[in-house]
Amino acid sequence: ESFRPRRPALGLRWADGWDGAVAGAARGAERLRASLSGRDADLCVGPPPGDWRAWLQLGLRRGLLDTPALMQLQVPGAEDAAYMGLLWPVAAQ
């Protein structure tokens, strides 16, 4: 028998909003929710590209990154295991 490492279970919960959220900022989360509706998805996590700071600044200046979705990841019982990130549709790049 070959050994297969156990894959982590990942739950998805939709937040109604965050404290301090900007009015109209829910579009990114709504778009992501609609994309996932009734579909399976794969999450790939890795390091950012070397020029991620320049990419982010350029995207913000050009108004391409105006509808992000906020992602918060918590790993119960693990030390220092809370993460946060912003997601944009790939077309926004």
Side-chain angles (χ1 to χ4, degrees), residues 24-63:
R27 290 181 310 188
E30 290 167 357
R31 183 174 175 177
L32 177 61
R33 189 176 198 163
S35 295
L36 290 172
S37 180
R39 297 178 181 91
D40 291 336
D42 290 318
L43 176 65
C44 180
V45 179
D51 62 346
W52 70 270
R53 289 176 184 91
W55 177 87
L56 182 60
Q57 289 175 352
L58 188 60
L60 289 170
R61 275 191 219 130
R62 291 182 178 173

